[in-house]
Amino acid sequence: MTRRQLKLGAVLTPTGGPGHPYTWLDPEIPADASVDIDWYIRYARLAEQARFDLVFIVDSQFITPDSPPHYLNRLEPLTLLSALAVATEHIGLVGTLTTSFNQPFNLARRFASLDLISRGRAGWNVVTSGDSGTAGNYGLEEHYDYATRYGRALEHVEVVKALWDSYEDDAFPRDREARRFLDADKLHTLDHRGEHFSVVGPLNIERSRQGQPVIFQAGDSDQGRDLGARIADGIFTHAPSFEAGAAFYTDIKTRAAAYGRAPEDIVILPGVTVTVGDTDADAREIERATQLADNDFGKSLRELGRPFGWHDFRQYDLDAPFPAEALQHAERSFYTQAKKIADLAADRGLTLRQTVEALSAPKTSPFTGSAETVANELQRWLDGHALDGINIHIGHPAQFQRFVDEVLPILRERGVVREDYEQNTLRGNLGLPFAENRYTRARREGVDPAPLPGTTASLSASV
């Protein structure tokens, strides 16, 4: 029996994401790294040399002066990933785009283009936009409520996937002798009329060698988990402990099976921070010093507002009980995260000051220690089915280099990490099946293509 291998993703937030206001002070990081294409190319190539499966570009489209440095000034994901596509050969290219403020046709066309430019290495991280202020940038008075966001997301993804199947894989004979460029029987329109979208189609771009871009999803609410289990090939999550990771892993795989999916066709990749030292004690000291360098009470207080719809907590008495009424401002924002914070404060009887201190205090990562300790822990999580891979945050360059130079060789020697790329697509390297065209499959099975969720009119057979 072939052992399962750890999948590897690298999250590129060069000048510092949430909770890391001073990462950009590291002299190894250019102060403008978040808009420096050379920085991204350098680390995408470094990750590729280490045989990572993918690089991941996070995104949001609403900021305040209190947003993290990387969020304040960064490149648009698909533009950036297209540049990385021609600067790399094997590594997957995954970007965040929201279903709340994109139309399916335009998004499908852009990702299909990236998939062809990269020769089958594109991935889409599906989000529903938790930053409620984004609505104002798209002409809306307020953000969609939770039910609408997730209903819209499900229909959006299914429409995009159907558009990606507009052409069957052999739709272009390109027969010069017969003067036949297209087999018109292999081109399919959509004529979708749904609750949230109406899209005629077809999409004017062929499929890539992996069939369709890989779909990722990140969301810890019940609605988010259910959406991921239904539509995603990969799940980005956060696992603070082995037990939490294993519980999430089991939950997602169980939900996927309930939707008639093979559980192994979804890969779970929690985001992690790795700190490597000469000894376990040395690594803990590096970890603590790094976190303390980022600790700024004033910035933490202001950033606390983000999951609450950027509610301003500076208006409250710091030494009074945490203002539970603030939770109402999160109803159209990151409600799950905000409720966890409010519940933590209520359960412990914390003041606002104590809540901020508890959230921003240095925390121990499971993946901190000597190279062997980190390797052992990663293998334990993999073998214990708490994850299928990791998304490692490239924070301080020296630490990422130590992970590549010291931890990966140990895992590679044990067969936990691949020696080399074995496939030529992101799907293949993640161990996911080729995305068969829905019309090809229906013809093979002798049935009509299934209607999309929210559809009021069936898919037509062809143009």
Side-chain angles (χ1 to χ4, degrees):
M1 179 179 177
T2 304
R3 79 153 8 260
R4 293 170 63 236
Q5 290 190 323
L6 186 73
K7 308 304 178 187
L8 298 170
V11 187
L12 306 180
T13 54
T15 55
H20 300 281
Y22 297 123
T23 298
W24 65 276
L25 295 177
D26 188 323
E28 291 189 58
I29 300 174
D32 65 346
S34 291
V35 291
D36 180 357
I37 189 59
D38 291 332
W39 186 94
Y40 287 99
I41 290 173
R42 176 184 176 187
Y43 281 92
R45 285 176 170 168
L46 178 60
E48 185 171 75
Q49 291 164 9
R51 303 301 185 257
F52 272 60
D53 292 273
L54 60 92
V55 291
F56 174 36
I57 305 300
V58 300
D59 194 41
S60 63
Q61 298 177 74
F62 176 76
I63 60 170
T64 77
D66 299 320
S67 296
H70 176 65
Y71 285 33
L72 290 171
N73 186 28
R74 58 179 167 181
L75 299 174
E76 188 278 325
L78 288 193
T79 308
L80 168 58
L81 291 172
S82 294
L84 295 184
V86 297
T88 56
E89 296 180 13
H90 304 285
I91 198 163
L93 306 165
V94 182
T96 295
L97 264 76
T98 175
T99 58
S100 297
F101 303 105
N102 281 289
Q103 287 296 315
F105 188 92
N106 181 258
L107 186 146
R109 189 181 188 206
R110 291 158 65 196
F111 263 112
S113 297
L114 176 62
D115 212 19
L116 286 180
I117 292 169
S118 65
R119 295 181 173 85
R121 294 186 283 134
W124 171 26
N125 179 43
V126 175
V127 299
T128 63
S129 286
D131 272 319
S132 56
T134 312
N137 291 332
Y138 286 87
L140 300 179
E141 291 297 322
E142 63 179 0
H143 195 14
Y144 304 108
D145 60 33
Y146 244 57
T148 301
R149 281 164 58 186
Y150 280 98
R152 181 184 173 95
L154 175 59
E155 186 180 338
H156 192 293
V157 172
E158 294 294 354
V159 170
V160 167
K161 291 172 67 177
L163 285 169
W164 283 336
D165 282 350
S166 294
Y167 289 113
E168 294 185 53
D169 294 307
D170 55 352
F172 291 99
R174 298 183 175 95
D175 186 337
R176 287 175 170 166
E177 185 174 338
R179 301 171 68 87
R180 185 168 178 249
F181 188 79
L182 169 70
D183 180 348
D185 290 336
K186 302 294 179 68
L187 172 60
H188 303 275
T189 194
L190 194 58
D191 292 329
H192 173 76
R193 301 290 184 273
E195 181 180 356
H196 302 282
F197 303 103
S198 294
V199 183
V200 176
L203 192 65
N204 58 339
I205 188 168
E206 66 181 302
R207 284 157 48 94
S208 78
R209 62 174 59 166
Q210 68 175 348
Q212 296 185 357
V214 179
I215 292 179
F216 295 87
Q217 188 269 344
D220 194 40
S221 68
D222 189 64
Q223 298 99 318
R225 293 184 183 208
D226 208 55
L227 178 67
R230 189 166 180 172
I231 57 93
D233 304 300
I235 303 290
F236 294 143
T237 183
H238 171 66
S241 67
F242 174 87
E243 292 74 19
F248 180 88
Y249 188 100
T250 300
D251 183 46
I252 291 294
K253 303 278 183 169
T254 301
R255 291 178 190 238
Y259 281 115
R261 303 186 61 195
E264 62 270 18
D265 288 348
I266 304 179
V267 293
I268 312 294
L269 297 95
V272 303
T273 299
V274 175
T275 304
V276 183
D278 296 335
T279 64
D280 291 353
D282 178 47
R284 291 297 176 197
E285 183 55 37
I286 294 172
E287 177 185 58
R288 179 174 174 78
T290 300
Q291 293 186 22
L292 286 175
D294 263 328
N295 201 321
D296 182 313
F297 183 87
K299 287 186 178 294
S300 297
L301 176 65
R302 294 191 291 274
E303 197 171 298
L304 175 64
R306 188 182 184 218
F308 295 84
W310 283 110
H311 185 59
D312 188 356
F313 282 92
R314 290 173 294 182
Q315 63 187 288
Y316 300 104
D317 180 353
L318 288 173
D319 296 309
F322 181 85
E325 66 273 16
L327 189 59
Q328 65 183 320
H329 297 282
E331 291 178 356
R332 294 176 185 256
S333 191
F334 295 97
Y335 184 79
T336 301
Q337 181 183 356
K339 190 173 188 310
K340 286 182 178 180
I341 294 170
D343 288 347
L344 170 72
D347 292 344
R348 296 187 184 179
L350 302 180
T351 64
L352 175 56
R353 184 191 304 277
Q354 291 169 332
T355 302
V356 174
E357 290 172 344
L359 294 173
S360 59
K363 295 175 179 59
T364 299
S365 165
F367 307 108
T368 295
S370 68
E372 187 169 2
T373 294
V374 173
N376 289 343
E377 191 67 2
L378 286 169
Q379 185 172 347
R380 183 173 81 93
W381 283 51
L382 178 68
D383 292 344
H385 296 277
L387 49 71
D388 294 306
I390 57 171
N391 249 341
I392 183 170
H393 292 270
I394 298 183
H396 295 281
Q399 271 300 312
F400 182 68
Q401 193 68 56
R402 292 196 71 166
F403 176 76
V404 169
D405 292 343
E406 300 176 36
V407 178
L408 288 187
I410 297 173
L411 294 173
R412 198 159 278 130
E413 184 177 1
R414 298 175 184 177
V416 177
V417 174
R418 69 162 67 90
E419 290 285 348
D420 205 350
Y421 292 107
E422 298 168 354
Q423 303 289 331
N424 62 3
T425 67
L426 177 56
R427 283 186 180 277
N429 284 320
L430 290 174
L432 299 171
F434 174 80
E436 185 179 22
N437 184 285
R438 62 191 288 114
Y439 298 99
T440 303
R441 181 173 60 250
R443 185 184 300 109
R444 175 172 52 78
E445 296 175 350
V447 299
D448 292 330
L452 307 185
T455 298
T456 57
S458 299
L459 293 171
S460 61
S462 63
V463 172

